[in-house]
Amino acid sequence: MGESTKSVCALLLIVSGIAGALAWTADRPDTITWGFRIGGPITAIFALGVILKLQFRADLEHDYLRALMGTYFNRNDFCFAFVVTPYDGIAFMDAYFQTQRDKPCVGRIALRPARGFFFTRAKIDAITFEVECPPAGFGFARIAIPIPLKLQGKRQSFEVGASVRYPDGKGRRVRFHDGIFLRSNTNFGNSFGTALTVAGTATGSIALSQPATATIDLPVGVAEDLPDNIAPEIKILWQLGEPPLENVS
């Protein structure tokens, strides 16, 4: 049970609560009205209990990504967050990731500058990460990016999309903090239903129906053009079965 269950329960909580409240306003209640008077609150309490049980489950493995980044995007249990780091005069876009499942997955993340005034985009090329993530794996993917001088030192919003596949099946979930549910795929399209999106928000989880955005601080004093010999880097810092990491904050 996960995101969809919580969304359905939230919708059930809202509907049954409203139905029960309306039933108590009837002056001459019949059998059906009494059914709503009694059944509505019982159903609402049951739905709330399921939501709370799912919301406050204890992690089976440590949530390194949350400890490091605070919050993150969640695409079908593949979670990630971004930071731009300058090094030797070059800016690197780092995508820290951790899967919530005890099976390996292949995650693909896409970023592009969000539209600003007059629907224009900043002149930064789209960025794509492809990550082979081991069971419960935590790590980062790093790509060098050129940053135009006029954008350096500013905050830039990027649209975010992602997709994930589990070659060996999804297995068991070992981390339970939801983060921000991401609906957009790597083409920034969205196929998720509006009803469950609204209901998911009622659970306390953030569910986005439009392309999600990440606002990132861009460094100053970095290159506007990149040399050709800088290759992307992917590093796994921890995976299921390894000793716990230290000093991850």
Side-chain angles (χ1 to χ4, degrees):
M1 295 190 295
E3 172 191 355
S4 296
T5 302
K6 288 171 66 177
S7 297
V8 170
C9 285
L11 188 60
L12 186 62
L13 172 64
I14 295 169
V15 172
S16 58
I18 293 174
L22 291 176
W24 280 100
T25 64
D27 294 332
R28 297 179 180 180
D30 55 16
T31 302
I32 295 176
T33 303
W34 273 107
F36 280 107
R37 283 185 173 184
I38 297 172
I42 292 175
T43 302
I45 292 171
F46 172 78
L48 179 61
V50 173
I51 291 170
L52 292 176
K53 181 178 179 180
L54 294 175
Q55 188 74 16
F56 295 105
R57 288 174 291 179
D59 291 333
L60 302 179
E61 301 294 340
H62 188 68
D63 195 336
Y64 293 108
L65 184 60
R66 188 180 186 190
L68 181 65
M69 304 299 289
T71 189
Y72 45 71
F73 294 104
N74 183 334
R75 176 67 171 182
N76 196 18
D77 300 333
F78 176 68
C79 305
F80 53 90
F82 307 100
V83 63
V84 174
T85 305
Y87 184 76
D88 282 349
I90 295 175
F92 292 87
M93 177 73 77
D94 294 344
Y96 282 86
F97 58 85
Q98 187 174 9
T99 176
Q100 294 179 313
R101 295 285 172 169
D102 66 352
K103 294 289 187 180
C105 69
V106 179
R108 196 165 187 266
I109 307 167
L111 287 167
R112 69 180 178 187
R115 294 185 184 276
F117 292 111
F118 307 110
F119 301 98
T120 59
R121 299 184 190 274
K123 292 184 178 181
I124 299 177
D125 291 338
I127 305 164
T128 301
F129 302 91
E130 185 154 342
V131 176
E132 293 186 9
C133 186
F138 166 65
F140 66 86
R142 174 171 292 166
I143 293 178
I145 59 171
I147 301 179
L149 183 61
K150 68 177 182 180
L151 296 178
Q152 295 185 22
K154 297 183 178 179
R155 307 193 76 194
Q156 173 64 44
S157 292
F158 292 86
E159 293 180 357
V160 184
S163 60
V164 60
R165 58 185 178 89
Y166 295 86
D168 302 327
K170 294 188 72 172
R172 181 181 59 157
R173 189 172 177 183
V174 296
R175 294 189 302 107
F176 301 105
H177 177 69
D178 290 324
I180 302 173
F181 290 126
L182 188 65
R183 312 301 185 194
S184 304
N185 57 30
T186 51
N187 293 320
F188 305 98
N190 173 15
S191 59
F192 196 79
T194 302
L196 289 186
T197 302
V198 174
T201 305
T203 69
S205 303
I206 304 175
L208 302 173
S209 58
Q210 298 298 320
T213 58
T215 301
I216 301 173
D217 293 319
L218 301 181
V220 296
V222 293
E224 297 185 76
D225 298 292
L226 298 178
D228 297 330
N229 59 349
I230 302 180
E233 177 186 1
I234 298 175
K235 187 172 183 179
I236 305 299
L237 301 173
W238 179 88
Q239 61 182 294
L240 193 65
E242 293 185 346
L245 291 176
E246 298 180 359
N247 301 322
V248 176
S249 59

